[in-house]
Amino acid sequence: MDFEKIETEVKIHVQKWVGEAQLLIQRKPPAQLYVAVAVVVFTMLLLILIKLFKRKTSNTIVLTGLSGSGKTILFYQLRDGSSHLGTVTSMEPNEGTFVLHSETTKKGKIKPVHIVDVPGHSRLRAKLDEFLPQAAGVVFVVDAVEFLPNCRAASEYLYEVLTAASVVKRKIPLLILCNKVDKVTAHTKDFIRKQLEKEIDKLRTSRTAVSEADVTDEYTLGTPGEAFAFSQCHNKVVIGEASGLTGEISQLEDFIRNLVKP
C-alpha cells in the first residue's frame, strides 16, 4: 500500500469537507447541521477504510529452485519464446513485466505478468525474501534429469520456501515444475513428488525437534503423526512438467494465468 499517496488524497478530501462544513455552519439550522456533519464524518471514515483495505491484485510470479534447474531458460521462453542457449547461472535476478510470448498474437487486452527469476545459489537465495511478499505465485523448478543427486538439496530449499512466513500467511500457491522432461533419462513428476515428500518428511521431523527447543520460530509442515504430503501444506501445491529447451511450457503458463487473470 502506498500510504503517502493515501495520506495526500485524504488531506485533499478533508480540506474540501472543511470548506463545505464552514458553509453549512453559516446556512443551516442546528438540527440539519448535526446531520450534515455526521454524514461528512461517516463518508470520510468510509473512504479511509476503503483506501486502507483495498489491495491491488498482484501480477508477480517468482521462479526459484536450485542452480542449473533451468529457471533462466524458462524466463526467456515466457518472455520471447527463445531458450537463449549459452546462458550461464544467474548471479542477479532476471526480472521483467511483459505479456507472455504465447499470448502476443491474441486479440484484446491482456494483463502483463511480472516475472522474477531468483538465483538458486545458496548465497544468493536471500533475494527471494524481497519478492515473496508481493508474489501471486511461486514456481519451484526441479531438474528432472539430475534430480536424485540433488534431491536432498532441493528438498531443503523447498522446505524453506514452504515454511516462509509470506508463503504461509498469504497462502501463496506453489508449482513444483519438473523441467527438462524432454530428456530420455528424466524422472517422472510422480517419482519426483514422492521423493520430495519423503525427504521433507525427514526434514520436518528434525526441524520440529529444533523448534521445540526454542531455537527457531519457523512454521512447521504437515499433519502430526502422518507421513508428509504436499496436500497438507497451508498453501496449494501442484506438480507440473516442462521443457525449457523445447519450449513446452504450457503447464507453467496455465499456472501463471490461473493466478494473473488476462
Side-chain angles (χ1 to χ4, degrees):
M1 281 180 283
D2 190 341
F3 286 103
E4 291 184 0
K5 184 177 179 181
I6 294 173
E7 184 180 5
T8 301
E9 292 182 3
V10 169
K11 285 181 179 179
I12 293 173
H13 285 297
V14 169
Q15 289 173 353
K16 179 182 176 182
W17 291 328
V18 168
E20 293 177 352
Q22 290 174 340
L23 291 174
L24 285 171
I25 292 172
Q26 297 172 359
R27 299 176 182 176
K28 298 290 184 181
Q32 293 183 20
L33 178 60
Y34 295 147
V35 173
V37 170
V39 170
V40 170
V41 171
F42 175 78
T43 304
M44 182 172 66
L45 291 174
L46 183 62
L47 283 173
I48 292 174
L49 289 174
I50 290 173
K51 292 288 185 181
L52 290 175
F53 290 101
K54 184 179 180 181
R55 295 182 178 178
K56 185 178 180 181
T57 303
S58 173
N59 68 332
T60 298
I61 300 294
V62 176
L63 303 179
T64 192
L66 298 182
S67 295
S69 57
K71 300 184 300 298
T72 302
I73 288 180
L74 292 169
F75 174 87
Y76 286 127
Q77 286 285 11
L78 290 168
R79 192 185 72 176
D80 52 38
S82 170
S83 61
H84 281 243
L85 293 179
T87 56
V88 295
T89 300
S90 303
M91 299 304 289
E92 288 293 334
N94 290 306
E95 186 176 358
T97 301
F98 46 81
V99 172
L100 301 181
H101 176 72
S102 63
E103 299 175 334
T104 53
T105 57
K106 291 184 178 180
K107 296 180 179 180
K109 187 176 181 180
I110 301 176
K111 185 175 183 178
V113 182
H114 178 217
I115 304 290
V116 182
D117 161 28
V118 179
H121 194 283
S122 58
R123 285 182 291 183
L124 301 174
R125 290 178 194 167
K127 293 183 179 292
L128 181 65
D129 295 332
E130 298 176 17
F131 298 103
L132 280 182
Q134 58 183 291
V138 175
V139 179
F140 189 89
V141 184
V142 175
D143 185 335
V145 176
E146 299 295 330
F147 171 69
L148 284 179
N150 297 309
C151 180
R152 178 71 178 185
S155 300
E156 290 177 344
Y157 188 16
L158 181 56
Y159 184 98
E160 292 175 11
V161 175
L162 289 173
T163 55
S166 298
V167 173
V168 176
K169 291 179 179 179
R170 297 180 56 231
K171 296 184 178 180
I172 301 175
L174 184 142
L175 167 66
I176 299 174
L177 189 66
C178 306
N179 191 27
K180 308 181 184 180
V181 295
D182 56 298
K183 305 296 183 182
V184 177
T185 54
H187 295 284
T188 66
K189 67 177 184 180
D190 288 333
F191 175 81
I192 290 174
R193 175 185 57 78
K194 290 176 182 178
Q195 294 302 312
L196 288 174
E197 287 178 335
K198 287 180 181 179
E199 285 297 323
I200 290 178
D201 192 45
K202 297 176 185 176
L203 282 169
R204 69 166 185 158
T205 300
S206 60
R207 298 198 181 190
T208 298
V210 172
S211 296
E212 290 175 351
D214 294 327
V215 176
T216 179
D217 292 323
E218 72 178 359
Y219 292 90
T220 56
L221 292 177
T223 304
E226 296 182 15
F228 173 76
F230 289 116
S231 60
Q232 300 168 352
C233 290
H234 300 282
N235 55 320
K236 183 178 181 180
V237 179
V238 294
I239 316 293
E241 296 178 323
S243 170
L245 192 61
T246 64
E248 178 45 60
I249 58 171
S250 59
Q251 293 181 34
L252 170 59
E253 292 175 321
D254 289 344
F255 175 78
I256 292 172
R257 274 308 174 204
N258 282 333
L259 299 174
V260 184
K261 301 300 181 182

